[in-house]
Amino acid sequence: DSRVHFHYNLGGTVTGRASSRLHQTPRNPFVRSVLGAPPGWALIKADLSQIELRIAAHLANEPIMQAEFLQGIDPHWETMLSIIGGNSNESDSAIDTIQRYCHRHGLPPTKTSVSILKRVVEEGGRKTSQESNLQDARAALAIAAPTQGLREYQSLLRMGPDSMGVGSGNQAITFEDASALMSLIGASTAQGLHEIWKELRKKAKAVNFGFLFGMGWKSFIEYARDKYEVHVTEEEAKAYRNGFFAHWPQLAVWHDKSRGLAHKNQQMTYLDGRIRHLPDIRSSNYGARAEAERCAINAPVQGFASDLVLMALVELEGFVEGGSAFDLEEAFTVGQAHDELLFQVRADRTKQWGLVIKNVMERPLLLDILGIKLNIPIEVEIEVGSHWADPEAIPLNKLLATGGWNGRDI
């Protein structure tokens, strides 16, 4: 039919993940645009947000990380604050300006600077969203806070939305407030903050995903460079690794426990009962034994993440009795890539099916059928566009607040 299709090998990986040659497609939007929706339809991308961190928090029973997820705190920004830190001359100037603005207008800076600076950064970075977004707000303030002020701001950053005055309360910040402040701070400063924000968050992601499964500091230097284009020194790598396990200490306990179970049983069992056999765990070859120990930690996380995607997929396609299934004349699955699913949906039904997709992926019925209770929430990020990696894709929450997807002549 002249269209690009995913083809899968269900036994192509040892963790249980389905493999496809299209999984190797570069993230370049132009290249990925070959997979799109025909006229009158939209392509919905649904991604399990930070799913490996969430599953690890559950398996390790790591109370700090679990609490962060339950409170809606982004662990990447928590890493930036608690482990990496940030500072710049522009940040100092931005905070001073915000404090003066708040004082002049009788606004309590401890409740407003987060939202104001968030709007400033969004404008400077030419973002279109004007919605209150706690993760963006924490990120913006974290970057603006000078190193010596990080501790002062950390308690604020960990508060919930009611305490922060973001989008609630009598003194919630308006877009006009943010615009007025940006005229003081200047677009170039806001743009600079936006760029710092992106770079620090990228470094935080390297730290979290690098050390989540116990990587050593030497390997992390290469990992951060090759996968994230982040360059760190030996001293920084050591400090980040020590800080990572100091902030989330139960993860190290989980690593040791997983290795011990693997040595005892020569296998690991996922939350849904899938078994990963590890015959090399007792090998006399150090390299083979070390690889098996790494698999004992990461396989139950990565494998169960893949199974969550498949649980949602079979329910949406109508294979789970009592589940929420597609009307195939209006929506159907076109592909799966790692932790995301791709769907083709009729352009006039994107809001309705977008919500169904989100609800099913965040709580597949098979979790209840299998008796799996997670200590952390699953969150799904959904975007509606005309093709894969569409740079103009619209987040579902924004779509719900508007008239719907117009298709942009797709």
Side-chain angles (χ1 to χ4, degrees), residues 199-246:
E199 287 303 310
L200 285 178
R201 192 171 193 274
K202 184 165 68 171
K203 180 179 285 189
K205 289 178 70 173
V207 169
N208 285 344
F209 291 124
F211 297 130
L212 179 63
F213 300 129
M215 180 180 292
W217 65 266
K218 290 183 179 179
S219 298
F220 174 74
I221 294 176
E222 296 181 6
Y223 171 83
R225 181 196 63 212
D226 296 343
K227 187 161 185 176
Y228 292 92
E229 298 181 341
V230 169
H231 298 276
V232 298
T233 65
E234 290 187 2
E235 290 73 19
E236 287 174 328
K238 292 176 183 178
Y240 295 162
R241 191 179 195 281
N242 291 336
F244 179 88
F245 289 110

Side-chain angles (χ1 to χ4, degrees), residues 20 40 47 64 75 115 127 182 202 210 222 248 255 276 290 307 315 362 370 402:
S20 170
D47 181 70
I64 298 174
S115 186
K127 286 193 173 184
M182 199 178 107
K202 184 165 68 171
E222 296 181 6
W248 294 306
H255 290 172
R276 170 71 192 279
D307 287 349
E315 180 172 344
E362 291 184 342
L370 295 173
T402 64

Side-chain angles (χ1 to χ4, degrees), residues 23 63 68 92 126 144 178 212 228 241 264 273 276 310 348:
H23 287 176
E68 289 164 359
D92 296 344
R126 292 175 175 78
L212 179 63
Y228 292 92
R241 191 179 195 281
K264 178 181 178 181
R276 170 71 192 279
L310 295 178
D348 61 344

Side-chain angles (χ1 to χ4, degrees), residues 118-119 122-123 126-133 136 175 395 397-398:
K118 173 256 183 178
R119 295 289 169 81
E122 283 186 345
E123 282 296 287
R126 292 175 175 78
K127 286 193 173 184
T128 58
S129 174
Q130 297 180 11
E131 302 170 15
S132 296
N133 183 313
D136 285 355
F175 187 70
N397 58 355
K398 184 177 181 182

Side-chain angles (χ1 to χ4, degrees), residues 308-321:
L308 277 175
V309 173
L310 295 178
M311 286 180 193
L313 178 61
V314 296
E315 180 172 344
L316 289 168
E317 291 295 327
F319 294 102
V320 178
E321 185 177 353

Side-chain angles (χ1 to χ4, degrees), residues 348-409:
D348 61 344
R349 298 286 288 168
T350 51
K351 291 199 293 187
Q352 293 85 347
W353 287 114
L355 279 174
V356 171
I357 291 167
K358 180 177 175 65
N359 291 336
V360 170
M361 290 185 69
E362 291 184 342
R363 188 68 199 180
L365 185 59
L366 279 172
L367 286 181
D368 294 329
I369 293 174
L370 295 173
I372 301 172
K373 296 182 179 180
L374 300 176
N375 297 331
I376 40 82
I378 298 173
E379 292 188 5
V380 174
E381 297 177 351
I382 292 183
E383 293 183 342
V384 181
S386 62
H387 55 267
W388 196 15
D390 184 350
E392 298 182 30
I394 300 174
L396 178 63
N397 58 355
K398 184 177 181 182
L399 192 70
L400 294 173
T402 64
W405 171 252
N406 61 21
R408 294 198 317 277
D409 298 323

Side-chain angles (χ1 to χ4, degrees), residues 264-277:
K264 178 181 178 181
N265 302 320
Q266 292 186 278
Q267 65 182 37
M268 295 298 291
T269 304
Y270 301 1
L271 286 170
D272 55 357
R274 183 193 293 271
I275 293 176
R276 170 71 192 279
H277 294 281

